[in-house]
Amino acid sequence: MKARWDIFCSVVDNYGDIGVTWRLARQLVVEHGCEVRLWVDDLRAFERMCPDIDVQVSQQWQEGVEVRHWPTEWPGAHSADVVIAAFACQLPLAYMDSMAECDRPPLWMNLDYLSAEDWVVGCHCLPSVKFKGVQKYFFFPGFRPGTGGLLREAGLLERRQAFQQDDAAQQQFLQTLGVFPAAGARLMSLFAYENPGLAGWLDVLAADRHETHLLVPEGRILGDMQRWLGVGSLAAGDIQMRGALTVQVIAFVRQEQYDQLLWCCAFNAVRGEDSFVRAQWAGRPLLWHIYRQDEDIHLDKLDAFLALYTAALSPSAKAAVVALWQAWNTQGDMAQSWKMLLEHWPEVSGHAENWCLEQGLQADLATALVQFYESWI
Ligand code: TRH
């Protein structure tokens, strides 16, 4: 019999919560034959990356996943065999009661935030709290052996490599977005939170000898972009040119298309958690705008990832990557650090592919979850 999984997603803000759980839910269905219900409290955030979502209905099927609206007033449902609370969201009390009433209580896990910090390995799969005898476990994604790994669909890297070797497919895809980069222009994408460091970076891109075509999906960075461009508003379809820099605002695309967008670009600025991972699977140099946390604890996470990511780089290339990422996240000098990065472009590009392939050797997160369940029953 197919194992039944319930995944609970409370959208705190932005798109990472739903981005991760939607990706996981699909993969469990398609690759592991699981029966998955995805409970989401905010279908509008979901609709942005999956426009097929009907925000008016409480139950619908999307790509084999049963999508259930999770309203404030719990509609009632029996416990599944595996229950995932994403990012420490609080399950409805009545649902937890139904977990405890099962003859065979479910495997209950908290799917945690992604971090490269050392302590993650020691905490992965440890028991957490109990509710009426039902044990909850921590499940940590991560970059090192001994963690839950990263979400990666089967064949993803092969599909990505084939696409990157197929110029016509890339051009065709870009055309569907209304993107026609000039021959030889460096295509880049920008997905970030508000960031005062943007102006310094754009200054240096505009003054560069080399042309850059910067694709900006609609979102939180547009205010800073408007200020730098000196325009009153920006919307999908707008194109602005300043020196060697072309800025093009594009609509927020479907989640699958966002992958293709990253694959087309020579450099991707990403943020949060899911786009950060997808940019790594793109095998291209990237810049991470980390999600800000109280007391700057996000900076420890940034350092931990940088230490791991840059370990195989030469000291000067490492310094360039670290300087750029630190500048982007702590309002440092983007112009200077971008120039440093350009000086190490071939090494940093080669490294992005190597890092991706190396990470691709680990079991992916969905498989790791299924294996954990199978060893638990
Ligand atoms: O949107 P994010 O900043 O999300 C989060 C949340 O803030 C969350 O609360 C926090 O915990 C987490 O970051 C660390 O960034 P993220 O994680 O990259 O999620 C964005 C999702 O949106 C991802 O699945 C990719 C998708 N996406 C599209 O589908 N189309 C697009 O055009 C773009 C730009 C993104």
Side-chain angles (χ1 to χ4, degrees):
M1 217 173 77
K2 282 185 177 183
R4 294 166 304 134
W5 292 58
D6 268 333
I7 303 176
F8 286 84
C9 171
S10 168
V11 177
V12 178
D13 58 5
N14 304 313
Y15 305 104
D17 310 292
I18 182 60
V20 166
T21 50
W22 170 227
R23 195 181 289 294
L24 170 65
R26 273 180 297 175
Q27 209 185 332
L28 287 170
V29 168
V30 174
E31 294 175 27
H32 298 280
C34 307
E35 215 175 279
V36 181
R37 269 190 309 204
L38 173 59
W39 296 89
V40 186
D41 64 355
D42 178 0
L43 292 175
R44 293 213 177 266
F46 197 172
E47 190 191 21
R48 292 297 302 280
M49 65 187 67
C50 177
D52 306 325
I53 287 291
D54 183 342
V55 296
Q56 304 296 342
V57 302
S58 57
Q59 181 184 30
Q60 59 195 296
W61 274 264
Q62 296 291 346
E63 301 187 36
V65 176
E66 182 182 346
V67 175
R68 298 288 295 266
H69 182 225
W70 176 10
T72 327
E73 192 85 15
W74 177 242
H78 285 297
S79 166
D81 305 313
V82 188
V83 179
I84 297 187
F87 309 119
C89 71
Q90 181 59 46
L91 303 188
L93 199 56
Y95 184 85
M96 300 212 297
D97 280 334
S98 110
M99 285 166 41
E101 283 157 14
C102 290
D103 292 340
R104 198 190 153 75
L107 171 60
W108 178 23
M109 286 177 282
N110 182 57
L111 176 60
D112 255 282
Y113 289 103
L114 174 63
S115 171
E117 289 162 297
D118 286 341
W119 58 263
V120 167
V121 176
C123 295
H124 177 55
C125 291
L126 284 189
S128 163
V129 293
K130 267 188 181 172
F131 176 80
K132 296 187 177 172
V134 186
Q135 179 68 60
K136 186 176 180 180
Y137 293 89
F138 294 109
F139 198 93
F140 280 92
F143 303 92
R144 304 164 194 259
T147 68
L150 302 172
L151 281 171
R152 186 187 75 247
E153 297 80 2
L156 177 74
L157 304 190
E158 292 77 4
R159 283 198 302 283
R160 186 268 289 174
Q161 284 169 331
F163 187 76
Q164 285 177 338
Q165 281 156 19
D166 186 343
D167 276 344
Q170 290 178 58
Q171 295 318 317
Q172 215 177 354
F173 167 71
L174 290 171
Q175 279 172 26
T176 63
L177 304 182
V179 174
F180 300 87
R186 186 188 295 120
L187 193 63
M188 314 207 305
S189 75
L190 171 60
F191 181 46
Y193 310 113
E194 296 77 5
N195 195 325
L198 181 68
W201 189 20
L202 298 181
D203 285 342
V204 74
L205 290 173
D208 199 354
R209 279 198 315 251
H210 198 115
E211 275 186 61
T212 297
H213 192 125
L214 183 62
L215 301 175
V216 192
E218 279 180 309
R220 290 174 55 176
I221 194 71
L222 284 193
D224 292 312
M225 185 61 85
Q226 275 169 221
R227 270 184 290 284
W228 184 80
L229 289 166
V231 297
S233 70
L234 279 175
D238 288 351
I239 301 182
Q240 295 276 338
M241 294 169 81
R242 300 288 184 277
L245 174 65
T246 300
V247 173
Q248 179 168 7
V249 182
I250 58 171
F252 200 88
V253 293
R254 296 183 73 96
Q255 207 183 36
E256 312 81 89
Q257 289 184 319
Y258 184 59
D259 270 339
Q260 291 179 299
L261 177 70
L262 296 170
W263 299 349
C264 286
C265 290
F267 185 86
N268 294 297
V270 285
R271 73 183 203 193
E273 182 160 330
D274 192 52
S275 60
F276 172 50
V277 172
R278 304 314 281 187
Q280 291 170 60
W281 295 140
R284 297 274 162 85
L286 69 151
L287 172 60
W288 184 27
H289 198 182
I290 191 168
Y291 184 77
R292 240 194 132 107
Q293 287 175 282
D294 291 343
E295 293 165 29
D296 282 350
I297 54 170
H298 59 288
L299 295 180
D300 295 335
K301 287 189 185 174
L302 182 71
D303 289 344
F305 180 77
L306 276 171
L308 211 58
Y309 183 72
T310 61
L313 285 173
S314 67
S316 56
K318 176 183 172 132
V321 172
V322 171
L324 185 73
W325 288 39
Q326 295 286 4
W328 193 229
N329 285 287
T330 60
Q331 301 187 27
D333 185 344
M334 284 299 288
Q336 188 51 33
S337 53
W338 178 250
K339 285 183 197 157
M340 271 168 74
L341 188 86
L342 289 182
E343 284 166 22
H344 297 88
W345 193 265
E347 183 183 345
V348 171
S349 295
H351 174 67
E353 178 71 18
N354 293 342
W355 169 264
C356 166
L357 299 181
E358 194 186 303
Q359 287 295 316
L361 297 175
Q362 290 203 58
D364 67 89
L365 189 126
T367 302
L369 278 167
V370 169
Q371 283 170 352
F372 185 54
Y373 172 58
E374 285 169 354
S375 61
W376 176 84
I377 42 179

